[in-house]
Each structure stands twice: as structure tokens, then as C-alpha cells.
């Protein structure tokens, strides 16, 4: 494709937000181009984080649940059916300084962008920070999780562990006590970093136990989690615990490095959008899904904001180009 071929809408990212935006913009006859990322990249996974999950039971319309990858493939097929084009490549550079905006694939030093777009929808998502241990990614959906509200139901009657000491970890641990018999918080320090009210809730919950000054050194299991090895940092002693669930809650990182210096973002890296809108600080660039949502981080809220971005982009194009 020549750089002179300008698209009305280019969507960067293909999780629930990006694919929903594609369905809506395609049905509006805007022929969106979705640049979905590369399968080899954990931070640029086509289909987003749901490609790394197993059964999804809280997405409306599937009373028996649906596998995460199947849900994303259905969304992708739906977008293509209405005329969206999908490119399985990674965006290496963007230029939002002038319209039509430039988007590079491959060599970021190329003099001309690979594509130009009158409007851009950013839906690159966020990724859960992980422990960096062998087996960790392989056992996601098989005992290892990064989302209590997504997966807590599957751990009814289990003894599980939560890694982390901030508000997110304590909130996840507290939520998980609705299902698990016990929840053990594993934290590198001897006190929680969470807010006082969250600490009080955890410390006073009889189901929550603590392994202080400790870190997970190994995740055990072939087809499902069978236990974890935990090292007590002051003594160096390592013990094995037969937890059948491990929730990693050490934070999230939005995939926004590509937009540094061009789009306004919080210190945490999440893109800033105008209240009640998906508009960014650049006129004609919109953001949706987890890339701009540090609070909810659910497939359904991402999909909803993808719909918003599509409608915002469609109305902006109508007002700007016609």
C-alpha cells in the first residue's frame, strides 16, 4: 500500500476495545484498518489479554461461558464481515503532529509512513506485570491469574495466594475470600503498602493470612498449578506451599510507549481522555479500552469504550471532513 492511500480510520490494537471500534466504524462504511500486533509479543498480543485466558463467564450473552480466544476470534470475524481490514503487524512509530496522521510498520526510520489516517483509534491495552518465572505464562488460566473479578469464581473452596502488597493486591485478596477457603498474601516487605482502610480490612479478615518478607521463586505444575516455592528473604529459606491458585497483583503497565511525547498521559502511563469522551489531546486521535482505564479493566468495559471511540471518530470525521 502506498503512503498516499489515506484511511478514514486506523485502529491500533485488537482487544475487545479495538475490535468493537472496528465493528462500529465498519458498519458506518468507514472501512477501518486494524493493525492488531504480533503474536510473539506479550505487550502487543493480537486479541489482547483475553487470548491468554481460558473460560470467560462474565461477558454478557454467553450463559454457558466462552473461551477467551474464541470470543476474540468471533469479534475479529464480525469486524471483517462488515468490511474491516486486519493487518497482523506491529506499529513501530506514529506521527500525530499533522493530519493525515502517519503510522509506521517495520523500519521506524523510514522517511514515509506505511499508512496515513484521517483519524486514529488507540486501543493498545495494558498488560499485567508478572513475576518473570518459568511456567508462569503457561499456567495462566490453569491456576495462575491476574484478575480476581474474572477468575475468582473458579477457586471456590481452594487455598490460594496473592502476590503483592498494594491496594490492588489487598482488594483482590479481600474479594477472593468470597470463594476461597484461605487467601495468603505474599509480600516482599514486612508491612502492606495499601491504604489504611484496605489494610484494616485484610488484617481483620479471618480468611486472609500473610507471608511477610517473602517472594515467589518457582511456580509448580505441568497442566495446572500444583504449588509454589516461596523464599523468606531474611533467612533465605525456601518452602513449598500447595496453593492451587496464584493471583499476581503487582500492577499493570499500559502499552503507551509508542505515544510518549505525542499523547497526554498520567505518570502511570495511562492515556488521558476528556471526561465522558474518548478524545485525547490530539484532535482526531481517540483512545479506548485498558490503555486509558486503570480502574475497571474488564472486557465488557473495554468493548463499551470501543463503541464510544467509534462513534466519537465517526462524528468527528463527519464534522471535520464534510
Amino acid at each position: 500500500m502506498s503512503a498516499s492511500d489515506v484511511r478514514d480510520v486506523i485502529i491500533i490494537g485488537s482487544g475487545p476495545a479495538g475490535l468493537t471500534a472496528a465493528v462500529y466504524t465498519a458498519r458506518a462504511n468507514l472501512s477501518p484498518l486494524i493493525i492488531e500486533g504480533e503474536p510473539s509479543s506479550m505487550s502487543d498480543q493480537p486479541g489482547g489479554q483475553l487470548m491468554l485466558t481460558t473460560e470467560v463467564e462474565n461477558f454478557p450473552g454467553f450463559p454457558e461461558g466462552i473461551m477467551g480466544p474464541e470470543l476474540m476470534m468471533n469479534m475479529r470475524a464480525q469486524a471483517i464481515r462488515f468490511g474491516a481490514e486486519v493487518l497482523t503487524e506491529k506499529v513501530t512509530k506514529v506521527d500525530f503532529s499533522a493530519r493525515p496522521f502517519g503510522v509506521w510498520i517495520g523500519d521506524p526510520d523510514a522517511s514515509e509512513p506505511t499508512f496515513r489516517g484521517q483519524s486514529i483509534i488507540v486501543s493498545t491495552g495494558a498488560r499485567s506485570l508478572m513475576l518473570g518465572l518459568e511456567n508462569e505464562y503457561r499456567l495462566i488460566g490453569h491456576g495462575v491469574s491476574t484478575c480476581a473479578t474474572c477468575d475468582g469464581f473458579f477457586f471456590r473452596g481452594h487455598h490460594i495466594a496473592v502476590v503483592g502488597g498494594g491496594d490492588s493486591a489487598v482488594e483482590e485478596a479481600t474479594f477472593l475470600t468470597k470463594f476461597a477457603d484461605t487467601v495468603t498474601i505474599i509480600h516482599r516487605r514486612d508491612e502492606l503498602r495499601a491504604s489504611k482502610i484496605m489494610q484494616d480490612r485484610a488484617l481483620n479478615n479471618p480468611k486472609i493470612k500473610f507471608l511477610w518478607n517473602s517472594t515467589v521463586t518457582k511456580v509448580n505444575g505441568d497442566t495446572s498449578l500444583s504449588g509454589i516455592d516461596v523464599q523468606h528473604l531474611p533467612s533465605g529459606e525456601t518452602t513449598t506451599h500447595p496453593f492451587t491458585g496464584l493471583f499476581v497483583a503487582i500492577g499493570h503497565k499500559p502499552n503507551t510507549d509508542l505515544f510518549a511525547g505525542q499523547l497526554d498521559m498520567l505518570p502511570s502511563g495511562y492515556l488521558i481522555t476528556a471526561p465522558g469522551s474518548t478524545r485525547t489531546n490530539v484532535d482526531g486521535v481517540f483512545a479506548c479500552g485498558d490503555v486509558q482505564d486503570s480502574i475497571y479493566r474488564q472486557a465488557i468495559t473495554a468493548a463499551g469504550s470501543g463503541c464510544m471511540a467509534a462513534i466519537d471518530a465517526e462524528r468527528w470525521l463527519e464534522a471535520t471532513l464534510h
Side-chain angles (χ1 to χ4, degrees), residues 242-305:
F243 296 120
T244 49
L246 175 66
F247 286 77
V248 181
I250 57 176
H252 292 79
K253 180 174 174 27
N255 300 317
T256 54
D257 291 350
L258 189 64
F259 313 108
Q262 301 198 59
L263 296 181
D264 288 348
M265 55 184 77
L266 298 170
S268 57
Y270 286 90
L271 296 183
I272 297 172
T273 51
S277 163
T278 61
R279 296 192 313 273
T280 67
N281 60 295
V282 176
D283 203 26
V285 178
F286 306 87
C288 56
D290 286 9
V291 76
Q292 53 83 58
D293 172 20
S294 62
I295 300 172
Y296 300 104
R297 297 196 298 262
Q298 299 296 304
I300 190 65
T301 50
S305 70

Side-chain angles (χ1 to χ4, degrees), residues 205-273:
N205 190 318
K207 280 192 171 184
I208 296 181
K209 305 177 184 301
F210 298 89
L211 286 175
W212 301 110
N213 297 309
S214 298
T215 185
V216 179
T217 57
K218 187 178 178 184
V219 177
N220 304 314
D222 293 325
T223 57
S224 62
L225 181 72
S226 60
I228 62 174
D229 290 359
V230 177
Q231 183 182 50
H232 182 247
L233 295 171
S235 67
E237 181 184 356
T238 298
T239 53
T240 299
H241 299 260
F243 296 120
T244 49
L246 175 66
F247 286 77
V248 181
I250 57 176
H252 292 79
K253 180 174 174 27
N255 300 317
T256 54
D257 291 350
L258 189 64
F259 313 108
Q262 301 198 59
L263 296 181
D264 288 348
M265 55 184 77
L266 298 170
S268 57
Y270 286 90
L271 296 183
I272 297 172
T273 51

Side-chain angles (χ1 to χ4, degrees), residues 29-103:
N29 293 323
L30 293 173
S31 303
L33 170 65
I34 310 164
I35 306 176
E36 67 174 354
E38 294 177 333
S40 60
S41 173
M42 289 306 301
S43 64
D44 200 40
Q45 171 76 37
Q49 294 185 77
L50 282 189
M51 296 298 288
L52 303 174
T53 62
T54 50
E55 193 164 15
V56 178
E57 290 193 325
N58 56 5
F59 199 92
F62 300 95
E64 301 302 319
I66 184 171
M67 299 299 282
E70 182 184 1
L71 177 60
M72 299 321 301
M73 288 297 101
N74 287 349
M75 285 190 180
R76 190 178 190 271
Q78 189 173 2
I80 292 171
R81 175 194 166 200
F82 291 118
E85 180 184 346
V86 180
L87 184 66
T88 309
E89 297 281 358
K90 182 175 182 176
V91 174
T92 55
K93 179 182 172 182
V94 296
D95 181 4
F96 295 158
S97 62
R99 291 200 309 269
F101 305 115
V103 176

Side-chain angles (χ1 to χ4, degrees), residues 116-130:
R116 292 189 185 273
Q118 297 289 6
S119 68
I120 304 286
I121 294 176
V122 175
S123 56
T124 48
R127 63 186 183 276
S128 299
L129 298 178
M130 302 297 284

Side-chain angles (χ1 to χ4, degrees), residues 148 160-162 167-178 180 183-185 202 205 207-209 247 249:
I160 61 180
V162 174
D167 277 350
S168 294
V170 175
E171 186 175 350
E172 298 242 311
T174 303
F175 177 82
L176 289 165
T177 59
K178 297 179 180 180
V183 179
T184 300
I185 294 177
N205 190 318
K207 280 192 171 184
I208 296 181
K209 305 177 184 301
F247 286 77

